[in-house]
Amino acid sequence: MTKVLMNYKAKLLLLSKDIRFWIILLFIIRLYGITNPPLDAASTWRQTDVLMIARNFYEIDSNILFPRTDSAGDLSGIVGVEFPIYNYLIFLVSLAFGFESWYGRLINLIITSIGTLYFYKLIKNYFGESSAFYSSITLLVSMWFSYSRITIPDVFAASICIIGLYYAFQYLEKGKAAFLFIFFVLSLLGCLAKISAAPILTCLAIPLFINRIPLNRKVVVSLLASVILASVCYWYFVWVPYLNSTYQFGGYFFMGLPVHVGFQQLIQEWSPALDQFFVTPLKYTGLAVFLASIYLMARNKLWAALIAFLLPLVAFSLFIVKSGRWFAVNDYYPLVSIPI
């Protein structure tokens, strides 16, 4: 009996160190109330916006290039917003089962759970199993715990970019064309779905300086990254303004502020802005661990880890400045920075 109990405890201990166990466990926990209406605090209007566009794909026009809302009065409702791949997935599920608002919750939960697994695998490959495990646990119990089952595209887009980043590094290491294709498609869709998720991909600059990686692979990844950047710029800075001007429903989608205006607003709102970035995602215990980690990385001269943190952080800071005071008041704005 004692031997059986010892074997049971050993297996339980081994299971508790498997990140897949925690991902599945927290996935199951968050299935509770998955069919609830989109009435979560601080994001009801944002979820409604996503669902309006998804339902109009289902009921009116399925052309993904022309997202449509219900709040335009006598106008058509066609408006420039984020590339509606998330909305379109809700629409595709609705084709099979009929439209329901909770599909968005389930899709988000599935994609973010997969994204967490790839987050773990990516870190494990370069910083070891221990760092990967605790980083992934931190991610799972951060704001991602609740927002990964809410119908907004932020965590969804960040997860897709993380998976894309993993396959980019796999291609650079192994040279398989399939990895390159997955990187390009997922990274493109992730950045289009939420432009603020794009800083995650800045980590691709690191392998450009690693001599053992063949030059031709670096060139190919750089070219595809340029295509992704050009496509994202075209959607947000050409197509979105075109839709807004053509269908006369401009101002619905927040495109950010001039840099100097956003910076001035952040100076005025410096305290809530700092809370939003440092405290809201991880709370005070997580913040203490985070700051201690930065200190230890610097003291131990873990330059690769520091660069992997600082590159996307600097890129994300541009999004913060462009957001201005809205970064300080919208809880979901820092979501895509948590993996960083």
Side-chain angles (χ1 to χ4, degrees):
M1 183 66 178
T2 303
K3 187 175 181 180
V4 171
L5 287 174
M6 289 180 64
N7 289 336
Y8 175 77
K9 288 181 180 179
K11 290 180 180 179
L12 190 61
L13 180 62
L14 186 63
L15 185 64
S16 70
K17 294 182 178 180
D18 190 332
I19 194 61
R20 294 171 297 182
F21 166 77
W22 294 105
I23 291 173
I24 293 171
L25 176 63
L26 294 179
F27 178 91
I28 293 171
I29 290 173
R30 285 173 290 178
L31 285 177
Y32 177 77
I34 198 74
T35 59
N36 286 348
L39 300 176
D40 306 81
S43 61
T44 297
W45 75 270
R46 191 67 182 88
Q47 294 186 76
T48 303
D49 180 63
V50 171
L51 293 166
M52 278 193 296
I53 293 172
R55 195 195 66 231
N56 285 328
F57 282 141
Y58 179 70
E59 294 182 350
I60 300 175
D61 185 0
S62 62
N63 191 329
I64 196 171
L65 299 178
F66 295 90
R68 184 189 306 260
T69 75
D70 296 340
S71 53
D74 294 331
L75 300 175
S76 67
I78 294 174
V79 64
V81 292
E82 299 109 338
F83 185 72
I85 182 62
Y86 181 41
N87 319 65
Y88 214 75
L89 288 175
I90 299 172
F91 154 67
L92 292 175
V93 174
S94 299
L95 286 179
F97 302 104
F99 183 83
E100 294 287 348
S101 66
W102 63 269
Y103 298 157
R105 290 184 183 275
L106 185 58
I107 290 169
N108 199 18
L109 184 55
I110 292 171
I111 296 299
T112 54
S113 296
I114 296 171
T116 303
L117 178 61
Y118 278 90
F119 179 75
Y120 168 84
K121 293 170 69 173
L122 183 60
I123 297 175
K124 179 183 175 183
N125 285 348
Y126 296 97
F127 300 110
E129 188 171 356
S130 179
S131 293
F133 181 80
Y134 290 113
S135 296
S136 301
I137 291 293
T138 303
L139 184 64
L140 282 168
V141 300
S142 70
M143 281 178 70
W144 275 41
F145 180 84
S146 57
Y147 276 91
S148 60
R149 49 159 286 153
I150 291 178
T151 310
I152 61 174
D154 303 65
V155 182
F156 169 88
S159 297
I160 294 178
C161 284
I162 289 169
I163 301 171
L165 184 65
Y166 171 83
Y167 279 105
F169 276 89
Q170 286 293 294
Y171 169 75
L172 289 167
E173 294 284 353
K174 300 176 182 178
K176 292 185 178 180
F179 295 154
L180 185 67
F181 177 77
I182 296 171
F183 149 67
F184 176 71
V185 172
L186 293 184
S187 299
L188 176 61
L189 291 176
C191 293
L192 284 171
K194 194 74 180 182
I195 193 172
S196 58
I200 291 171
L201 297 180
T202 57
C203 291
L204 283 173
I206 298 173
L208 298 181
F209 300 96
I210 298 176
N211 292 330
R212 63 181 173 80
I213 297 177
L215 178 61
N216 65 313
R217 297 180 193 172
K218 297 178 185 179
V219 171
V220 171
V221 168
S222 298
L223 288 174
L224 289 183
S226 299
V227 172
I228 291 170
L229 176 62
S231 301
V232 171
C233 289
Y234 179 82
W235 178 267
Y236 282 94
F237 303 113
V238 178
W239 188 250
V240 166
Y242 166 76
L243 291 180
N244 290 336
S245 62
T246 302
Y247 297 96
Q248 303 175 16
F249 196 33
Y252 181 83
F253 179 60
F254 179 59
M255 288 289 290
L257 302 166
V259 171
H260 70 281
V261 175
F263 185 75
Q264 290 173 356
Q265 290 186 0
L266 286 171
I267 294 297
Q268 295 169 359
E269 304 281 347
W270 67 271
S271 181
L274 286 177
D275 281 349
Q276 191 78 306
F277 184 76
F278 287 108
V279 178
T280 300
L282 300 174
K283 302 304 178 186
Y284 289 100
T285 304
L287 174 61
V289 175
F290 167 75
L291 294 176
S293 299
I294 297 298
Y295 167 74
L296 289 171
M297 284 194 292
R299 191 187 72 175
N300 295 323
K301 299 181 180 180
L302 303 176
W303 305 127
L306 276 172
I307 292 171
F309 162 67
L310 289 172
L311 272 176
L313 176 66
V314 171
F316 186 74
S317 66
L318 178 60
F319 167 75
I320 296 175
V321 173
K322 290 285 290 180
S323 300
R325 66 176 297 272
W326 296 109
F327 183 84
V329 300
N330 287 309
D331 284 349
Y332 60 88
Y333 270 37
L335 281 170
V336 297
S337 70
I338 297 177
I340 298 170

